[in-house]
Coordinates of all heavy atoms in Angstrom, one line a residue:
L25 N 0.9 -1.2 0.0 CA 0.0 0.0 0.0 C 0.9 1.2 0.0 O 1.8 1.3 0.8 CB -0.9 0.0 1.2 CG -1.6 1.3 1.5 CD1 -2.7 1.6 0.4 CD2 -2.3 1.3 2.9
C26 N 0.6 2.1 -0.9 CA 1.2 3.5 -0.9 C 0.1 4.5 -0.7 O -0.8 4.5 -1.5 CB 2.0 3.7 -2.2 SG 2.8 5.4 -2.2
F27 N 0.1 5.2 0.4 CA -0.9 6.2 0.7 C -0.3 7.6 0.4 O 0.7 8.0 1.0 CB -1.3 6.1 2.1 CG -2.4 6.9 2.5 CD1 -3.7 6.7 2.1 CD2 -2.2 8.0 3.3 CE1 -4.8 7.5 2.4 CE2 -3.3 8.9 3.7 CZ -4.6 8.6 3.2
I28 N -0.9 8.3 -0.5 CA -0.4 9.6 -0.9 C -1.2 10.7 -0.3 O -2.4 10.8 -0.5 CB -0.4 9.7 -2.5 CG1 0.5 8.7 -3.1 CG2 0.0 11.1 -2.9 CD1 0.5 8.6 -4.6
D29 N -0.6 11.5 0.6 CA -1.2 12.6 1.3 C -0.1 13.5 1.7 O 0.3 13.6 2.8 CB -2.0 12.1 2.5 CG -2.7 13.2 3.2 OD1 -3.0 14.2 2.6 OD2 -3.0 13.1 4.4
A30 N 0.4 14.3 0.7 CA 1.5 15.2 1.0 C 1.2 16.5 0.4 O 0.1 17.1 0.6 CB 2.8 14.6 0.5
D31 N 2.1 17.0 -0.5 CA 1.9 18.3 -1.1 C 0.7 18.2 -2.1 O 0.7 17.4 -3.0 CB 3.2 18.6 -1.9 CG 3.3 20.0 -2.5 OD1 2.2 20.6 -2.6 OD2 4.4 20.4 -2.9
H32 N -0.2 19.1 -1.9 CA -1.4 19.1 -2.7 C -1.4 20.1 -3.9 O -2.4 20.3 -4.5 CB -2.6 19.4 -1.8 CG -2.9 18.4 -0.8 ND1 -2.3 18.4 0.4 CD2 -3.7 17.3 -0.8 CE1 -2.7 17.3 1.1 NE2 -3.6 16.7 0.4
S33 N -0.3 20.7 -4.1 CA -0.2 21.8 -5.1 C 0.6 21.4 -6.3 O 1.5 20.6 -6.3 CB 0.4 23.0 -4.4 OG 1.7 22.8 -4.0
G34 N 0.2 22.1 -7.4 CA 1.0 22.0 -8.7 C 1.0 20.5 -9.1 O 0.0 19.8 -9.1
D35 N 2.2 20.1 -9.6 CA 2.3 18.8 -10.2 C 2.8 17.8 -9.1 O 3.1 16.6 -9.4 CB 3.2 18.7 -11.4 CG 4.6 19.1 -11.2 OD1 4.9 19.7 -10.1 OD2 5.4 18.9 -12.1
A36 N 3.0 18.2 -7.9 CA 3.5 17.3 -6.8 C 2.6 16.0 -6.7 O 3.2 14.9 -6.6 CB 3.6 18.0 -5.5
P37 N 1.3 16.1 -6.7 CA 0.5 14.9 -6.5 C 0.7 13.9 -7.7 O 0.8 12.7 -7.5 CB -1.0 15.4 -6.5 CG -0.9 16.8 -6.1 CD 0.4 17.3 -6.6
Y38 N 1.0 14.5 -8.9 CA 1.2 13.6 -10.1 C 2.6 13.0 -9.9 O 2.7 11.8 -10.1 CB 1.2 14.5 -11.3 CG 1.4 13.7 -12.6 CD1 0.5 12.8 -13.1 CD2 2.7 13.8 -13.2 CE1 0.7 12.1 -14.2 CE2 2.9 13.0 -14.4 CZ 1.9 12.2 -14.9 OH 2.2 11.4 -16.0
R39 N 3.6 13.7 -9.5 CA 4.9 13.2 -9.3 C 4.9 12.1 -8.2 O 5.6 11.0 -8.4 CB 6.0 14.2 -9.0 CG 6.3 15.2 -10.1 CD 7.5 16.1 -9.8 NE 7.5 16.6 -8.5 CZ 7.0 17.7 -8.1 NH1 6.4 18.5 -8.9 NH2 7.2 18.1 -6.8
D40 N 4.2 12.3 -7.1 CA 4.1 11.3 -6.1 C 3.4 10.0 -6.6 O 3.8 8.9 -6.3 CB 3.2 11.8 -4.9 CG 3.9 12.9 -4.1 OD1 5.2 13.0 -4.2 OD2 3.3 13.6 -3.4
S41 N 2.4 10.2 -7.5 CA 1.7 9.1 -8.1 C 2.7 8.3 -9.0 O 2.7 7.0 -8.9 CB 0.5 9.5 -8.9 OG -0.4 10.3 -8.1
L42 N 3.5 8.9 -9.7 CA 4.5 8.3 -10.6 C 5.5 7.5 -9.7 O 5.8 6.3 -10.1 CB 5.2 9.2 -11.5 CG 4.5 9.9 -12.6 CD1 5.3 10.9 -13.3 CD2 3.9 8.8 -13.6
R43 N 5.9 8.0 -8.6 CA 6.9 7.3 -7.7 C 6.2 6.1 -7.2 O 6.8 5.0 -7.1 CB 7.3 8.2 -6.6 CG 8.4 9.2 -7.0 CD 8.9 10.0 -5.8 NE 9.4 11.3 -6.3 CZ 8.7 12.4 -6.2 NH1 7.6 12.4 -5.6 NH2 9.2 13.5 -6.7
A44 N 5.0 6.2 -6.7 CA 4.2 5.1 -6.2 C 4.1 4.0 -7.3 O 4.3 2.8 -7.0 CB 2.9 5.5 -5.7
W45 N 3.8 4.4 -8.5 CA 3.6 3.4 -9.6 C 4.9 2.7 -9.8 O 4.9 1.4 -10.0 CB 3.1 4.1 -10.8 CG 2.9 3.2 -12.0 CD1 3.8 3.1 -13.1 CD2 1.8 2.4 -12.3 NE1 3.2 2.2 -13.9 CE2 2.0 1.8 -13.5 CE3 0.6 2.2 -11.6 CZ2 1.1 0.9 -14.0 CZ3 -0.3 1.3 -12.1 CH2 -0.1 0.7 -13.3
D46 N 6.0 3.4 -9.8 CA 7.3 2.8 -10.1 C 7.7 1.8 -9.0 O 8.5 0.9 -9.2 CB 8.4 3.8 -10.3 CG 8.3 4.6 -11.6 OD1 7.6 4.1 -12.5 OD2 8.8 5.7 -11.7
N47 N 7.2 2.0 -7.8 CA 7.5 1.2 -6.7 C 6.5 0.1 -6.3 O 6.6 -0.5 -5.2 CB 7.9 2.1 -5.5 CG 9.2 2.8 -5.7 OD1 10.2 2.2 -5.6 ND2 9.1 4.1 -5.9
R48 N 5.5 -0.1 -7.1 CA 4.4 -1.0 -6.7 C 5.0 -2.4 -6.8 O 6.0 -2.7 -7.5 CB 3.2 -0.8 -7.6 CG 3.4 -1.3 -9.0 CD 2.3 -0.8 -9.9 NE 2.4 -1.4 -11.3 CZ 3.2 -1.0 -12.2 NH1 4.1 -0.1 -12.0 NH2 3.2 -1.6 -13.4
N49 N 4.3 -3.4 -6.2 CA 4.7 -4.8 -6.2 C 4.2 -5.4 -7.5 O 3.2 -6.1 -7.5 CB 4.2 -5.5 -5.0 CG 4.6 -6.9 -4.9 OD1 5.5 -7.3 -5.6 ND2 3.9 -7.7 -4.0
V50 N 5.0 -5.3 -8.6 CA 4.5 -5.8 -9.9 C 4.2 -7.2 -9.9 O 3.2 -7.7 -10.5 CB 5.6 -5.4 -11.0 CG1 5.2 -6.0 -12.3 CG2 5.8 -3.9 -11.1
G51 N 4.9 -8.0 -9.1 CA 4.7 -9.5 -9.1 C 3.6 -9.9 -8.1 O 3.4 -11.1 -8.0
G52 N 3.0 -9.0 -7.4 CA 2.0 -9.4 -6.4 C 1.0 -8.3 -6.3 O 0.7 -7.5 -7.1
D53 N 0.3 -8.3 -5.1 CA -0.8 -7.4 -4.9 C -0.2 -6.0 -4.5 O 0.9 -5.9 -3.8 CB -1.7 -7.9 -3.7 CG -2.5 -9.0 -4.2 OD1 -2.9 -9.0 -5.4 OD2 -2.8 -9.9 -3.4
W54 N -0.9 -5.0 -4.8 CA -0.5 -3.6 -4.5 C -1.7 -2.7 -4.5 O -2.8 -3.0 -5.1 CB 0.6 -3.1 -5.5 CG 0.1 -3.1 -6.9 CD1 0.3 -4.2 -7.8 CD2 -0.5 -2.1 -7.6 NE1 -0.3 -3.8 -9.0 CE2 -0.7 -2.5 -8.9 CE3 -0.9 -0.8 -7.3 CZ2 -1.4 -1.8 -9.9 CZ3 -1.6 0.0 -8.3 CH2 -1.8 -0.5 -9.5
C55 N -1.6 -1.5 -3.9 CA -2.6 -0.5 -3.9 C -2.0 0.8 -3.7 O -1.0 1.0 -3.0 CB -3.5 -0.8 -2.7 SG -4.9 0.4 -2.5
I56 N -2.4 1.8 -4.5 CA -2.0 3.2 -4.4 C -3.3 3.9 -4.0 O -4.3 3.8 -4.7 CB -1.5 3.8 -5.7 CG1 -0.2 3.0 -6.1 CG2 -1.1 5.3 -5.5 CD1 0.3 3.4 -7.5
A57 N -3.3 4.7 -2.9 CA -4.5 5.4 -2.4 C -4.1 6.9 -2.2 O -3.0 7.2 -1.9 CB -4.9 4.8 -1.1
W58 N -5.1 7.7 -2.5 CA -4.9 9.2 -2.4 C -5.9 9.7 -1.4 O -7.1 9.3 -1.4 CB -5.2 9.8 -3.7 CG -4.2 9.5 -4.8 CD1 -3.0 10.2 -5.1 CD2 -4.3 8.4 -5.7 NE1 -2.4 9.6 -6.1 CE2 -3.1 8.5 -6.6 CE3 -5.2 7.4 -6.0 CZ2 -2.9 7.6 -7.6 CZ3 -4.9 6.5 -7.0 CH2 -3.8 6.6 -7.8
D59 N -5.5 10.6 -0.6 CA -6.4 11.4 0.3 C -6.6 12.7 -0.3 O -5.9 13.2 -1.2 CB -5.7 11.5 1.7 CG -6.6 12.0 2.7 OD1 -7.8 11.8 2.6 OD2 -6.2 12.6 3.7
D60 N -7.7 13.4 0.1 CA -8.0 14.8 -0.3 C -8.3 14.9 -1.7 O -8.1 16.0 -2.3 CB -6.9 15.7 0.1 CG -6.7 15.7 1.6 OD1 -7.6 15.6 2.4 OD2 -5.5 15.7 2.1
Y61 N -9.0 13.9 -2.3 CA -9.4 14.0 -3.7 C -10.9 14.6 -3.7 O -11.8 13.9 -3.5 CB -9.4 12.6 -4.3 CG -9.9 12.5 -5.8 CD1 -9.0 12.5 -6.8 CD2 -11.3 12.4 -6.0 CE1 -9.5 12.4 -8.1 CE2 -11.7 12.3 -7.3 CZ -10.8 12.3 -8.4 OH -11.3 12.2 -9.7
H62 N -10.9 15.9 -3.8 CA -12.2 16.6 -3.8 C -12.0 18.0 -4.4 O -10.9 18.5 -4.5 CB -12.9 16.6 -2.5 CG -12.1 17.0 -1.3 ND1 -11.7 18.3 -1.1 CD2 -11.5 16.3 -0.3 CE1 -11.0 18.4 0.0 NE2 -10.8 17.2 0.5
P63 N -13.1 18.6 -4.8 CA -13.0 19.9 -5.5 C -12.2 21.0 -4.8 O -11.7 21.9 -5.4 CB -14.5 20.4 -5.6 CG -15.2 19.1 -5.6 CD -14.5 18.2 -4.7
S64 N -12.1 20.9 -3.5 CA -11.3 22.0 -2.8 C -9.8 21.8 -3.0 O -9.0 22.6 -2.6 CB -11.6 22.0 -1.3 OG -11.2 20.8 -0.7
N65 N -9.4 20.7 -3.6 CA -8.0 20.4 -4.0 C -7.9 20.1 -5.5 O -7.7 18.9 -5.8 CB -7.5 19.2 -3.1 CG -7.3 19.5 -1.7 OD1 -6.7 20.5 -1.3 ND2 -8.0 18.7 -0.9
P66 N -8.1 21.1 -6.3 CA -8.2 20.8 -7.7 C -6.9 20.2 -8.3 O -7.0 19.5 -9.3 CB -8.5 22.2 -8.4 CG -8.1 23.2 -7.3 CD -8.3 22.5 -6.0
D67 N -5.8 20.6 -7.8 CA -4.5 20.0 -8.3 C -4.4 18.5 -8.0 O -3.9 17.7 -8.8 CB -3.3 20.7 -7.7 CG -3.1 22.1 -8.2 OD1 -3.7 22.5 -9.2 OD2 -2.4 22.9 -7.5
V68 N -5.0 18.1 -6.9 CA -5.0 16.6 -6.6 C -5.9 15.9 -7.5 O -5.6 14.9 -8.1 CB -5.4 16.4 -5.1 CG1 -5.6 14.9 -4.9 CG2 -4.4 17.0 -4.1
V69 N -7.1 16.5 -7.7 CA -8.1 15.9 -8.6 C -7.5 15.8 -10.0 O -7.6 14.7 -10.7 CB -9.4 16.6 -8.6 CG1 -10.4 16.1 -9.7 CG2 -10.1 16.6 -7.3
R70 N -7.0 16.8 -10.5 CA -6.4 16.9 -11.9 C -5.2 15.8 -12.0 O -5.2 15.1 -13.0 CB -5.9 18.3 -12.2 CG -5.3 18.4 -13.6 CD -4.9 19.8 -14.0 NE -4.0 20.4 -13.1 CZ -4.2 21.3 -12.2 NH1 -5.5 21.8 -12.1 NH2 -3.3 21.8 -11.4
A71 N -4.4 15.8 -11.0 CA -3.2 14.9 -11.1 C -3.7 13.4 -11.0 O -3.2 12.6 -11.8 CB -2.3 15.2 -9.9
V72 N -4.6 13.1 -10.1 CA -5.0 11.7 -10.0 C -5.8 11.3 -11.3 O -5.5 10.2 -11.8 CB -5.9 11.5 -8.7 CG1 -6.6 10.1 -8.7 CG2 -5.1 11.7 -7.5
D73 N -6.7 12.1 -11.8 CA -7.4 11.8 -13.0 C -6.4 11.6 -14.2 O -6.6 10.6 -14.9 CB -8.4 12.9 -13.3 CG -9.6 12.9 -12.4 OD1 -9.7 12.0 -11.6 OD2 -10.3 13.9 -12.4
Q74 N -5.4 12.5 -14.3 CA -4.5 12.3 -15.4 C -3.7 11.0 -15.2 O -3.6 10.2 -16.2 CB -3.5 13.5 -15.4 CG -2.4 13.3 -16.4 CD -1.4 14.4 -16.4 OE1 -1.5 15.5 -15.7 NE2 -0.2 14.2 -17.0
F75 N -3.2 10.7 -14.0 CA -2.4 9.6 -13.8 C -3.2 8.3 -14.0 O -2.7 7.4 -14.7 CB -1.9 9.6 -12.3 CG -1.2 8.3 -11.9 CD1 0.1 8.1 -12.4 CD2 -1.8 7.4 -11.1 CE1 0.7 6.9 -12.0 CE2 -1.2 6.2 -10.8 CZ 0.1 6.0 -11.2
V76 N -4.4 8.2 -13.5 CA -5.2 7.0 -13.6 C -5.6 6.8 -15.1 O -5.6 5.7 -15.6 CB -6.5 7.1 -12.8 CG1 -7.5 6.0 -13.1 CG2 -6.1 7.1 -11.3
G77 N -5.8 7.9 -15.8 CA -6.0 7.7 -17.3 C -4.8 7.2 -18.0 O -5.0 6.4 -18.9
E78 N -3.7 7.6 -17.6 CA -2.4 7.2 -18.3 C -2.1 5.7 -18.0 O -1.6 5.0 -18.9 CB -1.3 8.1 -17.9 CG -1.3 9.5 -18.4 CD -0.2 10.4 -17.9 OE1 0.6 9.9 -17.0 OE2 -0.2 11.5 -18.3
V79 N -2.4 5.3 -16.8 CA -2.1 3.9 -16.5 C -3.3 2.9 -16.8 O -3.1 1.7 -16.7 CB -1.6 3.7 -15.0 CG1 -0.4 4.5 -14.7 CG2 -2.7 4.0 -14.0
G80 N -4.4 3.5 -17.2 CA -5.5 2.7 -17.6 C -6.2 1.9 -16.6 O -6.7 0.8 -16.8
M81 N -6.3 2.5 -15.4 CA -7.0 1.7 -14.3 C -8.2 2.5 -13.8 O -8.3 3.7 -14.0 CB -6.0 1.5 -13.1 CG -4.8 0.7 -13.5 SD -4.0 -0.2 -12.1 CE -5.3 -1.3 -11.6
E82 N -9.1 1.8 -13.2 CA -10.3 2.4 -12.7 C -10.1 2.9 -11.3 O -9.6 2.2 -10.4 CB -11.5 1.3 -12.7 CG -12.8 1.9 -12.1 CD -13.8 0.8 -12.0 OE1 -13.6 -0.3 -12.6 OE2 -14.8 1.0 -11.3
L83 N -10.5 4.2 -11.1 CA -10.4 4.8 -9.8 C -11.5 4.3 -8.9 O -12.7 4.4 -9.3 CB -10.4 6.3 -9.9 CG -10.0 7.1 -8.7 CD1 -8.6 6.8 -8.3 CD2 -10.2 8.6 -9.0
R84 N -11.2 3.8 -7.7 CA -12.3 3.3 -6.8 C -12.2 4.1 -5.5 O -11.2 4.7 -5.2 CB -12.0 1.8 -6.5 CG -12.1 1.0 -7.8 CD -11.9 -0.5 -7.5 NE -10.4 -0.7 -7.6 CZ -9.9 -1.9 -7.2 NH1 -10.6 -2.9 -6.8 NH2 -8.6 -2.0 -7.4
K85 N -13.4 4.2 -4.8 CA -13.5 5.0 -3.6 C -13.7 4.1 -2.4 O -14.5 3.2 -2.4 CB -14.7 5.9 -3.8 CG -14.9 6.9 -2.6 CD -15.9 7.9 -2.9 CE -16.2 8.8 -1.8 NZ -15.1 9.6 -1.4
L86 N -13.0 4.5 -1.3 CA -13.2 3.8 0.0 C -13.2 4.9 1.0 O -12.1 5.6 1.2 CB -12.2 2.8 0.2 CG -12.2 2.1 1.6 CD1 -13.6 1.3 1.8 CD2 -11.1 1.2 1.8
M87 N -14.3 5.2 1.7 CA -14.4 6.3 2.7 C -14.0 7.6 2.0 O -14.5 7.9 0.9 CB -13.5 6.0 3.9 CG -14.1 4.7 4.6 SD -13.2 4.3 6.2 CE -11.6 3.8 5.7
S88 N -13.0 8.3 2.5 CA -12.6 9.6 1.9 C -11.4 9.4 0.9 O -10.9 10.4 0.4 CB -12.2 10.6 3.0 OG -11.0 10.1 3.6
W89 N -11.0 8.1 0.6 CA -9.9 7.9 -0.2 C -10.3 7.4 -1.6 O -11.3 6.7 -1.8 CB -8.9 6.9 0.4 CG -8.5 7.2 1.8 CD1 -8.0 8.4 2.2 CD2 -8.6 6.4 2.9 NE1 -7.7 8.4 3.5 CE2 -8.1 7.2 4.0 CE3 -9.1 5.2 3.2 CZ2 -8.0 6.7 5.3 CZ3 -9.0 4.7 4.5 CH2 -8.5 5.5 5.5
Q90 N -9.5 7.7 -2.6 CA -9.6 7.1 -3.9 C -8.4 6.2 -4.0 O -7.3 6.4 -3.5 CB -9.5 8.2 -5.0 CG -10.6 9.2 -4.8 CD -11.9 8.7 -5.2 OE1 -12.1 7.9 -6.0 NE2 -12.9 9.2 -4.5
Y91 N -8.5 5.1 -4.8 CA -7.4 4.1 -4.9 C -7.5 3.3 -6.2 O -8.6 3.2 -6.8 CB -7.4 3.2 -3.7 CG -8.5 2.1 -3.6 CD1 -8.2 0.9 -4.2 CD2 -9.7 2.4 -3.1 CE1 -9.3 -0.1 -4.1 CE2 -10.7 1.5 -3.1 CZ -10.5 0.2 -3.6 OH -11.5 -0.7 -3.6
I92 N -6.4 2.7 -6.6 CA -6.3 1.8 -7.6 C -5.4 0.6 -7.1 O -4.7 0.8 -6.1 CB -5.6 2.4 -8.9 CG1 -4.2 2.8 -8.6 CG2 -6.5 3.5 -9.5 CD1 -3.4 3.2 -9.9
G93 N -5.5 -0.5 -7.8 CA -4.6 -1.6 -7.4 C -5.2 -3.0 -7.8 O -6.2 -3.1 -8.4
T94 N -4.5 -4.0 -7.3 CA -4.9 -5.4 -7.7 C -5.8 -6.0 -6.6 O -6.4 -7.0 -6.8 CB -3.6 -6.2 -7.8 OG1 -2.9 -6.2 -6.5 CG2 -2.7 -5.8 -8.9
L95 N -5.8 -5.3 -5.4 CA -6.7 -5.9 -4.4 C -8.1 -5.6 -4.6 O -8.5 -4.6 -5.1 CB -6.2 -5.3 -3.0 CG -4.8 -5.6 -2.6 CD1 -4.5 -4.8 -1.3 CD2 -4.7 -7.1 -2.3
S96 N -9.0 -6.5 -4.1 CA -10.4 -6.3 -4.1 C -10.8 -5.2 -3.1 O -10.0 -4.8 -2.2 CB -11.2 -7.6 -3.7 OG -11.0 -7.8 -2.3
H97 N -12.0 -4.6 -3.3 CA -12.4 -3.6 -2.4 C -12.5 -4.1 -1.0 O -12.0 -3.4 -0.1 CB -13.8 -3.1 -2.9 CG -14.3 -1.9 -2.1 ND1 -14.0 -0.6 -2.4 CD2 -15.2 -1.9 -1.0 CE1 -14.6 0.2 -1.5 NE2 -15.3 -0.5 -0.7
A98 N -12.9 -5.3 -0.8 CA -13.0 -5.9 0.5 C -11.6 -6.0 1.2 O -11.5 -5.8 2.4 CB -13.7 -7.2 0.5
A99 N -10.7 -6.4 0.4 CA -9.3 -6.6 0.9 C -8.7 -5.2 1.3 O -8.1 -5.1 2.3 CB -8.4 -7.3 -0.1
V100 N -8.9 -4.2 0.5 CA -8.4 -2.9 0.8 C -9.1 -2.4 2.1 O -8.5 -1.9 3.0 CB -8.6 -1.9 -0.3 CG1 -8.3 -0.5 0.1 CG2 -7.8 -2.3 -1.5
E101 N -10.4 -2.6 2.2 CA -11.2 -2.1 3.3 C -10.7 -2.8 4.6 O -10.5 -2.2 5.7 CB -12.7 -2.4 3.1 CG -13.6 -1.8 4.2 CD -15.0 -1.9 3.8 OE1 -15.4 -3.0 3.2 OE2 -15.8 -1.0 4.1
A102 N -10.4 -4.1 4.5 CA -10.0 -4.9 5.7 C -8.6 -4.4 6.1 O -8.3 -4.3 7.3 CB -9.9 -6.4 5.3
F103 N -7.7 -4.1 5.1 CA -6.4 -3.6 5.4 C -6.4 -2.3 6.1 O -5.7 -2.0 7.1 CB -5.6 -3.6 4.1 CG -4.2 -3.1 4.4 CD1 -3.2 -4.1 4.9 CD2 -3.7 -1.9 4.1 CE1 -1.9 -3.7 5.1 CE2 -2.4 -1.5 4.3 CZ -1.5 -2.4 4.8
L104 N -7.2 -1.4 5.6 CA -7.3 0.0 6.2 C -8.1 0.0 7.4 O -7.9 0.8 8.3 CB -7.9 1.0 5.1 CG -7.1 1.1 3.9 CD1 -7.8 2.0 2.9 CD2 -5.7 1.7 4.2

């Protein structure tokens, strides 16, 4: 699990997303989750939407977080 909740401005959320993608467990299960994905943080929304579009994964929601990964929703919920 990589949980992204740091710099919410400019392209920082996108760069954090790229780092998380490069460090995911390619041979096993993984999850990248973002906090603060809502209209009051437009740079986060823009970065996450761009990133998810580029990697071709479906953005899923759990509580206040958005996430992608190989784990089922139930597995992510149990982990968090």
Side-chain angles (χ1 to χ4, degrees):
L25 169 67
C26 179
F27 185 72
I28 300 175
D29 182 23
D31 188 347
H32 294 86
S33 61
D35 66 345
Y38 180 75
R39 289 190 322 267
D40 290 342
S41 301
L42 290 175
R43 281 186 209 101
W45 181 259
D46 289 342
N47 288 289
R48 74 194 186 283
N49 183 13
V50 175
D53 287 326
W54 59 271
C55 178
I56 301 171
W58 294 269
D59 192 26
D60 300 322
Y61 179 96
H62 49 75
S64 65
N65 293 306
D67 290 342
V68 173
V69 172
R70 183 176 54 252
V72 171
D73 289 349
Q74 177 185 346
F75 173 76
V76 170
E78 289 173 359
V79 299
M81 298 206 63
E82 178 185 345
L83 192 61
R84 296 179 273 174
K85 182 173 177 64
L86 176 64
M87 297 184 293
S88 65
W89 306 308
Q90 302 291 325
Y91 71 95
I92 61 172
T94 60
L95 296 174
S96 70
H97 185 82
V100 173
E101 188 172 37
F103 182 78
L104 298 175

